[in-house]
Amino acid sequence: MEIQISGQYGDPLSSKIFSPLRIELNQCFKKNISREYFNTLIKLAIVLRVSGEISDFKSQGAERLRYWKKDKVLSIDLVFFESQWLGVDLSVVRKIMAEGIKECLNLMIERAVKLNEVVDKEALMEGIENALADFLE
């Protein structure tokens, strides 16, 4: 099972700020999420949609939670307004990103529980907490 973060960026500056954070976050999850926590799900996928000068995604927060039964994946979008990152200190962006990721994962786990997929919720939550703690260090 893996947690994978990908991104869609509204302009080159948003990509320059969020892409390295996304890569670092993926590494934190890879290090801390190492077991099977679900019956059949193989991936929790979060897409960062970061509004910028070229593309404005016109919303904020977690949205569009989807279950891809054939692929055994839960996915969700995490949308950021331009005002959440433009001219904001990187440590604040990092914290906002971690909080959003945690919200998304909580929603995904709730959905997985409804789908009767969760095998070891406690261990999964511990791995997520450890990954986010590593990311925030």
Side-chain angles (χ1 to χ4, degrees):
M1 201 291 292
E2 75 173 311
I3 295 174
Q4 179 186 50
I5 316 296
S6 59
Q8 183 178 8
Y9 307 109
D11 62 27
L13 182 57
S14 62
S15 176
K16 183 178 178 182
I17 291 170
F18 278 85
S19 191
L21 293 175
R22 178 190 58 77
I23 291 166
E24 183 182 342
L25 194 52
N26 277 326
Q27 290 169 342
C28 292
F29 281 122
K30 188 173 185 176
K31 174 183 163 191
N32 288 283
I33 303 294
S34 57
R35 299 183 21 216
E36 296 303 318
Y37 306 95
F38 302 109
N39 288 315
T40 63
L41 286 176
I42 60 170
K43 186 185 296 183
L44 300 179
I46 300 172
V47 179
L48 304 176
R49 294 171 43 119
V50 184
S51 293
E53 196 172 293
I54 298 169
S55 294
D56 182 355
F57 298 107
K58 303 196 186 304
S59 62
Q60 179 198 358
E63 62 182 28
R64 298 184 353 186
L65 175 59
R66 284 171 254 145
Y67 172 45
W68 305 92
K69 187 174 182 176
K70 179 182 166 199
D71 298 320
K72 300 178 181 115
V73 172
L74 279 174
S75 70
I76 195 167
D77 292 348
L78 178 58
V79 186
F80 293 92
F81 281 133
E82 192 174 22
S83 62
Q84 290 179 281
W85 63 269
L86 187 61
V88 176
D89 186 81
L90 191 59
S91 64
V92 174
V93 173
R94 182 181 289 270
K95 185 176 181 213
I96 290 168
M97 188 173 169
E99 289 169 356
I101 294 291
K102 186 173 183 178
E103 176 189 359
C104 288
L105 290 169
N106 284 333
L107 291 169
M108 296 169 101
I109 292 166
E110 282 177 27
R111 180 70 178 273
V113 167
K114 288 178 184 173
L115 293 167
N116 199 31
E117 278 285 341
V118 179
V119 173
D120 194 347
K121 183 176 179 181
E122 189 175 299
L124 176 57
M125 296 307 292
E126 182 180 328
I128 289 169
E129 290 295 330
N130 290 340
L132 292 174
D134 288 353
F135 178 69
L136 291 171
E137 285 182 354

